[in-house]
Amino acid sequence: DPPNAAAHFHLGLAVEKQGEFAEAIRELERATELVPDNSEYLTELGGAYGKAAKHAGLLDSLNLARQCAAALEKAVALDPNNLVARNGLVSFYREAPPIAGGGKEKAYLQADEIRKRDVSLGSAILGQLYIADQKYDDAFAVYEDALRANPDDYQALYLIGRTAAETGLNLDRGEQTLRRCLELPPGPGEQGRAAVHWRLGRLAEKRGDIEGARAEYRAAQRPLYEACTCAA
């Protein structure tokens, strides 16, 4: 059924997972030719261009990078609430050289747009941009803003703790938020109890509390040990 856009789309996704980026691009391009106003199709096509660019030579990589940006920008133009495409643009603008259309300021603008639509997700993305630029106070401020909107935002709580553990800043606040994470259930894709205990161990190390760190690292291993025991 050659005119079946959905079939081309899903075939493109399947071969992309196998690392066949050229074939994936062909199938996804065909899907977008058949249905040019489908924001999801364009998002996945942009992602395929981006992955192919990382495995191509210099000139081909530059061309693919520009195609990646064009596809994602069109996806956002068609659906301003397509946060997957906007997040893809954040990554592209952050990583791509200016000659390919990259730029930090454009990455920050997209992160702000995501935050307007999803405070938790946008705060996480914007905070990571600040951390990459070593603007740690700004990152903490963004995460705290997310908590003001939702005091039990697990992601924001964890990110405050993780940033404290990585930087050695705001250690008391970091421990407080990580302890709160242990009282809440993580959502899909969020770090679980083992990761929280591991971050608490890192915080203890920053303080020079070796015994406390050991206790947290043991607690981080406990879920794996219990899973092995249950399997046995």
Side-chain angles (χ1 to χ4, degrees), residues 126-223:
L126 182 58
Q128 286 303 108
L129 289 176
Y130 282 134
I131 289 170
D133 289 336
Q134 298 184 340
K135 298 178 179 179
Y136 302 123
D137 289 342
D138 290 330
F140 280 116
V142 165
Y143 300 147
E144 293 289 359
D145 281 345
L147 288 181
R148 277 188 280 276
N150 175 13
D152 285 338
D153 184 332
Y154 187 98
Q155 178 86 323
L157 289 164
Y158 178 79
L159 289 172
I160 289 172
R162 186 182 75 176
T163 306
E166 290 177 347
T167 64
L169 302 172
N170 300 329
L171 293 178
D172 289 343
R173 179 57 173 157
E175 180 176 1
Q176 181 186 34
T177 58
L178 289 173
R179 296 289 180 199
R180 181 57 181 152
C181 283
L182 293 175
E183 300 171 349
L184 298 170
E190 292 179 334
Q191 298 287 353
R193 297 177 68 84
V196 174
H197 281 296
W198 187 76
R199 295 294 179 185
L200 284 166
R202 295 282 291 162
L203 280 172
E205 279 197 79
K206 295 285 186 184
R207 291 193 175 106
D209 180 4
I210 303 304
E211 286 304 313
R214 284 175 180 158
E216 293 297 342
Y217 291 144
R218 290 191 196 102
Q221 292 178 313
R222 194 173 300 135

Side-chain angles (χ1 to χ4, degrees), residues 89-100:
L89 283 172
V90 171
S91 297
F92 174 84
Y93 292 143
R94 179 72 191 176
E95 298 173 11
I99 192 173

Side-chain angles (χ1 to χ4, degrees), residues 25-46:
I25 288 170
R26 283 194 296 271
E27 295 297 340
L28 293 169
E29 282 179 340
R30 182 60 179 147
T32 59
E33 288 168 2
L34 291 166
V35 187
D37 60 351
N38 188 305
S39 182
E40 181 185 7
Y41 289 5
L42 285 160
T43 301
E44 295 297 339
L45 176 59

